[in-house]
Amino acid sequence: MDSVTLSWSSARHRARVWRFPLRVELLCEEEVMATFNSKGKLWFETLQDGPRREMFVLCKCTCRAAPGPSSIGADVCLHGFSHVYGLPEHADSLQLRDTRDGEPYRLYNLDVFAYDLYSRRGLYGSVPLLVAHKPDRTLGVFWLNASETFVNIRYSPTDHQVFPLLLRMQPETDVHWLSESGVMDCVVLLGPGPRQLFSQYAQLTGYQALPPLFALGYHQCRWNYRDEADVKAVDAGFDRHNIPYDVIWLDIEHTDGKRYFTWDPALFPDPVGLQRHLETKNRKLVVISDPHIKADPDWSLFCEARDGGHFVKDREGRLYRGSCWPGECCYVDFSSPDTRAWYSSCFGLDRYKGSTPSLHVWNDMNEPSVFDGPEQTMPKDAVHYGGWEHRELHNLYGFYQHMATLEGLITRSGGSERPFILSRSFFAGSQRLGAVWTGDNVASWEYLKISIPMLLSLSVAGVAFCGADVGGFIQDPDPELLVRWYQAAALQPFFRGHSANVTKRREPWLFGVTVTAAIRTAIQQRYCLLPYWYTLFHQAHTAGLPPLRPLWVEFSRDPSTFAVDHQYMIGGALLACPVTEAALREAQVYLPGCGELWYDVHSAKAYEGGATLSLPLTLDTVPVFQRGGSVVCRSTGSGSCTAELRLLLLSLQGAADGELYLDDGHSFSYRDRKAFCLRSFSLMSGRLSRENAKLGTSSLFISGAKETRAAFEYTESCCRLTVSGLNLRVATDWDIQID
């Protein structure tokens, strides 16, 4: 017998396993969806053992047995698919390219300053998830391996083949995985749709952590704010210019000689007072904490880590030493559970002197970055806990630091408060730990443009809380670029302005009245949408749905959306098309969905879907459209996240619906005590008189209460009805009828 067939889902799904050569076919009904080892590229090398095969490496006159080659590889054919996505992090298009014309996609976490664009080389993080989509099916292939990995992609038939052949052949995509080491652990996610696939992947690797509400506001960062007076001046500047923000950040210079968990005694003599000053305005402070520890025998933290065995070793069993910001450093071995527990304890209020519960953390340089190492990272033969070589778990290094930091901040609060941690390096599952960003970008239009497909790729791969630094970390942006970047970043999950110490100061009010006004508007509009963003993160936390979605996620049967990566959906209701070109006077916006209606959120003008719209632009124009039939909950003001809510109801064929999630915004009470509110809103078909804007009254019925009357205003030019004078609790059932 050459094959055996396994079935499930009432025999709807089957796996057919062929003995020789080994081949596995996955079928739905009678259709083959994917084939493992279809091209016979299954490969694994066994570790060398025994005296006959032993290999030795000479290093400083010391012989050490080397394990020898240990690479693994396999190919998967995806039948009927011609669009695949994922495999972050790369500065490239959303749809993965055919690699026959050059290098494969590389997954190897590296500190890459001012990275090349449209490149398949590895960047700061790696998620080995590939997602394939066609009109009637979405599949995922998850290759769980933390060593250096290459992925080759081959589409067939290709565009250069003759047209008659294209008509006869079914499209397919061949994916070839090759990893330096590890075990072969490959999972195929069957969908069948995008939402089901996201849920399946989240069940496998973890759901997005629900961030504290403040983390969805605006973050102001610079390398570096000079001292406490500088921080307070920047904080006051936001108030003076009426620009909301939630968090101010400190880079490495806030420490005593770049020793993490310390403060410069001259520049930051009263860090507790500084944090309390910010806390009076409900604002937070974030400080940096990198994985390298200054090799200073007179510093108690270094000695504690050294004596406790918490550092990575070299191949000879000595402390591995490398160069980073403090000079010579040792690197914390986060792969050890005991070391992670020790590192977590360093965030305790009794140990981290000068910290308060309002202090949150930024894990940077954790690929890890080693200035004098190969490719500016740790050598592959460095040795971790359990004798594992660094090559085996390189892409997990930053993930483990992120994990230890999270546990430290949760423990600091006695398990009651949700912390915020940003990490530059990441791996599959990092979504359950906090946020990531796209690293050291450049102040150019090209980097602004590439940030959108980069964030969409992260979102498809489960890393939902992601962003790109406003204005570019490196170089100085011109005023138009800065405005457009703020407008774009305000429509992305993580929203931070950051700049290097060699650039000019970049606070929003330093570029003239016009620029300041445009930036203020972009940030204020972000704050008005916080109820919607928070609800989307609840969906990510419970269902695996990313807030940022490629168009094909919502319009899965529209092939016109499959390669679009300059515009995207925010949830299921808003379509954004940020302006990413200089001096652009007209934007081309594709509004998907034949039969759909789309409303410009600024003018409320309606447009039909299934067509491309030419939208005139000014510096203030931000192309955002709301889907007909949706309800988006907004805040009436931008100054507070607890402001009164306003419902924006847009109706398609007389009906609209939406959802709102609320909790205390900071604790785990939503999880531990079910202290949250999840409300559905619907607008049913009704009758409104079509008159010019006028004041009137409406009948308001509240469940279990007598009739109440409220004022309303209807503006015919934009079809907007505003009901005011209401005093309703979101947690209460109520109904509004317009007579």
Side-chain angles (χ1 to χ4, degrees):
M1 186 174 182
D2 290 334
S3 67
V4 62
T5 300
L6 309 174
S7 64
W8 65 98
S9 300
S10 301
R12 184 168 182 264
H13 290 96
R14 289 178 292 155
R16 186 184 301 151
V17 184
W18 300 84
R19 182 175 64 86
F20 186 81
L22 176 66
R23 188 171 80 252
V24 181
E25 293 179 345
L26 297 177
L27 299 91
C28 179
E29 306 293 355
E30 295 301 318
E31 179 188 358
V32 179
M33 299 179 294
T35 303
F36 180 83
N37 200 35
S38 67
K39 302 297 188 292
K41 294 183 179 179
L42 179 64
W43 170 260
F44 57 92
E45 294 178 308
T46 58
L47 295 177
Q48 299 186 20
D49 56 5
R52 289 186 297 107
R53 301 181 61 205
E54 194 168 18
M55 180 176 69
F56 291 88
V57 176
L58 188 64
C59 181
K60 294 185 178 179
C61 301
T62 300
C63 293
R64 172 185 171 90
S70 58
S71 66
I72 58 172
D75 67 277
V76 179
C77 180
L78 305 173
H79 301 278
F81 293 93
S82 54
H83 295 83
V84 295
Y85 315 90
L87 300 182
E89 183 178 37
H90 299 94
D92 206 354
S93 57
L94 172 63
Q95 181 183 351
L96 300 176
R97 292 182 288 160
D98 192 303
T99 60
R100 281 177 290 191
D101 63 348
E103 298 178 343
Y105 285 94
R106 187 189 190 196
L107 297 175
Y108 193 64
N109 297 355
L110 293 171
D111 177 0
V112 187
F113 187 78
Y115 42 85
D116 293 337
L117 302 186
Y118 299 100
S119 169
R120 303 166 196 165
R121 298 172 184 170
L123 292 180
Y124 307 97
S126 299
V127 182
L129 173 69
L130 180 140
V131 176
H133 180 72
K134 60 180 179 177
D136 60 347
R137 172 73 61 173
T138 308
L139 281 181
V141 181
F142 180 48
W143 179 266
L144 181 53
N145 192 297
S147 70
E148 182 179 12
T149 297
F150 294 94
V151 187
N152 273 295
I153 295 168
R154 179 169 181 164
Y155 295 108
S156 59
T158 56
D159 292 340
H160 67 266
Q161 291 174 301
V162 295
F163 183 71
L165 183 61
L166 288 173
L167 295 178
R168 293 196 303 269
M169 292 183 63
Q170 181 192 40
E172 63 182 33
T173 300
D174 288 300
V175 184
H176 181 209
W177 305 82
L178 183 63
S179 294
E180 180 178 6
S181 191
V183 299
M184 196 170 296
D185 193 349
C186 183
V187 180
V188 178
L189 307 172
L190 298 179
R195 290 171 181 260
Q196 292 85 0
L197 182 136
F198 293 144
S199 176
Q200 292 157 6
Y201 181 70
Q203 292 174 50
L204 193 64
T205 64
Y207 290 86
Q208 173 66 53
L210 182 63
L213 183 57
F214 79 80
L216 299 182
Y218 175 62
H219 300 244
Q220 181 67 32
C221 184
R222 178 171 175 80
W223 176 25
N224 201 87
Y225 287 119
R226 294 184 298 271
D227 51 28
E228 290 177 3
D230 195 11
V231 173
K232 290 179 179 179
V234 173
D235 174 70
F238 278 91
D239 293 332
R240 186 169 64 254
H241 294 278
N242 193 30
I243 301 174
Y245 93 106
D246 270 81
V247 192
I248 193 163
W249 295 50
L250 295 178
D251 212 312
I252 54 178
E253 312 300 340
H254 83 277
T255 62
D256 182 6
K258 299 181 178 62
R259 298 171 180 87
Y260 305 108
F261 302 101
T262 70
W263 305 83
D264 186 301
L267 302 178
F268 292 89
D270 185 18
V272 170
L274 176 62
Q275 291 162 72
R276 287 175 177 166
H277 171 79
L278 295 170
E279 187 64 22
T280 61
K281 305 177 184 181
N282 293 316
R283 289 169 180 160
K284 315 296 181 186
L285 183 68
V286 166
V287 295
I288 198 167
S289 185
D290 294 347
H292 50 261
I293 302 294
K294 183 180 178 69
D296 179 1
D298 296 324
W299 180 26
S300 61
L301 187 74
F302 169 79
C303 295
E304 184 180 342
R306 179 196 61 196
D307 297 344
H310 298 311
F311 287 133
V312 177
K313 306 293 195 300
D314 65 19
R315 64 178 296 110
E316 296 177 346
R318 300 175 302 197
L319 293 183
Y320 169 71
R321 296 172 183 261
S323 173
C324 208
W325 297 121
E328 186 178 69
C329 301
C330 292
Y331 286 74
V332 178
D333 184 5
F334 295 103
S335 67
S336 165
D338 290 342
T339 296
R340 290 199 300 273
W342 169 80
Y343 187 79
S344 295
S345 73
C346 294
F347 291 98
L349 297 178
D350 58 334
R351 298 201 60 189
Y352 191 175
K353 303 302 182 182
S355 67
T356 74
S358 66
L359 185 76
H360 298 262
V361 179
W362 169 20
N363 292 150
D364 197 8
M365 313 296 288
N366 55 347
E367 294 74 29
S369 178
V370 183
F371 291 164
D372 57 352
E375 293 192 273
Q376 202 168 309
T377 193
M378 190 174 288
K380 291 182 177 181
D381 62 354
V383 180
H384 289 265
Y385 167 77
W388 291 100
E389 285 193 322
H390 184 71
R391 75 181 76 248
E392 303 277 352
L393 48 82
H394 172 83
N395 289 342
L396 276 170
Y397 186 86
F399 172 91
Y400 279 135
Q401 186 196 16
H402 204 177
M403 177 190 294
T405 305
L406 176 73
E407 288 302 318
L409 296 191
I410 291 176
T411 301
R412 182 185 70 180
S413 71
S416 64
E417 295 296 308
R418 282 177 268 163
F420 168 75
I421 306 106
L422 179 74
S423 176
R424 191 169 73 177
S425 180
F426 54 87
F427 190 67
S430 287
Q431 66 270 11
R432 62 183 193 263
L433 308 176
V436 307
W437 91 107
T438 60
D440 295 340
N441 54 2
V442 177
S444 75
W445 289 95
E446 293 76 16
Y447 275 83
L448 170 58
K449 186 174 184 178
I450 202 68
S451 69
I452 296 175
M454 289 181 73
L455 297 180
L456 290 174
S457 295
L458 283 165
S459 298
V460 166
V463 186
F465 198 5
C466 55
D469 283 337
V470 173
F473 175 67
I474 309 159
Q475 299 178 3
D476 294 306
D478 64 69
E480 183 194 4
L481 174 59
L482 187 64
V483 168
R484 292 304 191 192
W485 212 315
Y486 267 102
Q487 292 170 343
L491 299 169
Q492 296 165 356
F494 176 59
F495 184 20
R496 181 179 78 157
H498 185 36
S499 55
N501 55 2
V502 295
T503 65
K504 297 177 182 177
R505 293 288 290 252
R506 205 181 290 171
E507 286 74 49
W509 51 87
L510 297 179
F511 299 86
V513 175
T514 301
V515 171
T516 299
I519 293 174
R520 178 189 299 113
T521 298
I523 297 177
Q524 287 177 342
Q525 289 176 351
R526 165 62 169 231
Y527 275 77
C528 287
L529 276 176
L530 278 184
Y532 182 62
W533 277 107
Y534 200 51
T535 300
L536 293 179
F537 270 92
H538 161 73
Q539 295 175 3
H541 182 58
T542 57
L545 286 173
L548 220 63
R549 303 171 191 173
L551 295 186
W552 58 261
V553 171
E554 291 295 320
F555 300 91
S556 58
R557 293 186 174 274
D558 182 356
S560 299
T561 67
F562 293 179
V564 174
D565 61 8
H566 67 286
Q567 58 185 77
Y568 52 89
M569 297 294 294
I570 305 174
L574 297 180
L575 183 149
C577 183
V579 178
T580 59
E581 296 180 35
L584 195 65
R585 295 294 173 256
E586 188 175 77
Q588 302 299 310
V589 185
Y590 178 64
L591 301 176
C594 293
E596 297 267 359
L597 281 180
W598 294 90
Y599 297 81
D600 187 311
V601 298
H602 305 293
S603 69
K605 185 176 180 181
Y607 300 92
E608 293 185 356
T612 297
L613 169 68
S614 295
L615 185 71
L617 297 175
T618 68
L619 186 63
D620 297 322
T621 306
V622 185
V624 179
F625 298 84
Q626 185 166 341
R627 195 176 183 176
S630 65
V631 173
V632 172
C633 295
R634 301 170 182 263
S635 170
T636 56
S638 60
S640 172
C641 59
T642 58
E644 177 187 358
L645 294 177
R646 177 184 68 198
L647 301 184
L648 179 59
L649 306 177
L650 294 178
S651 174
L652 173 64
Q653 298 177 343
D657 58 74
E659 194 173 73
L660 175 67
Y661 172 82
L662 294 171
D663 58 26
D664 65 16
H666 62 86
S667 78
F668 285 108
S669 293
Y670 78 92
R671 181 194 67 191
D672 300 335
R673 298 192 291 119
K674 308 303 178 188
F676 65 88
C677 177
L678 182 61
R679 307 296 288 174
S680 295
F681 296 91
S682 61
L683 174 68
M684 306 304 292
S685 180
R687 182 169 58 87
L688 289 174
S689 59
R690 297 184 60 79
E691 300 176 359
N692 291 328
K694 67 176 185 178
L695 292 177
T697 60
S698 65
S699 296
L700 174 64
F701 297 92
I702 305 176
S703 301
K706 63 181 181 180
E707 178 180 337
T708 303
R709 304 188 73 79
F712 72 85
E713 181 180 0
Y714 177 66
T715 306
E716 184 178 23
S717 61
C718 61
C719 304
R720 176 174 292 160
L721 176 71
T722 303
V723 182
S724 58
L726 304 180
N727 186 20
L728 300 176
R729 291 180 57 84
V730 172
T732 303
D733 290 342
W734 43 262
D735 180 69
I736 298 177
Q737 293 184 10
I738 307 296
D739 293 337

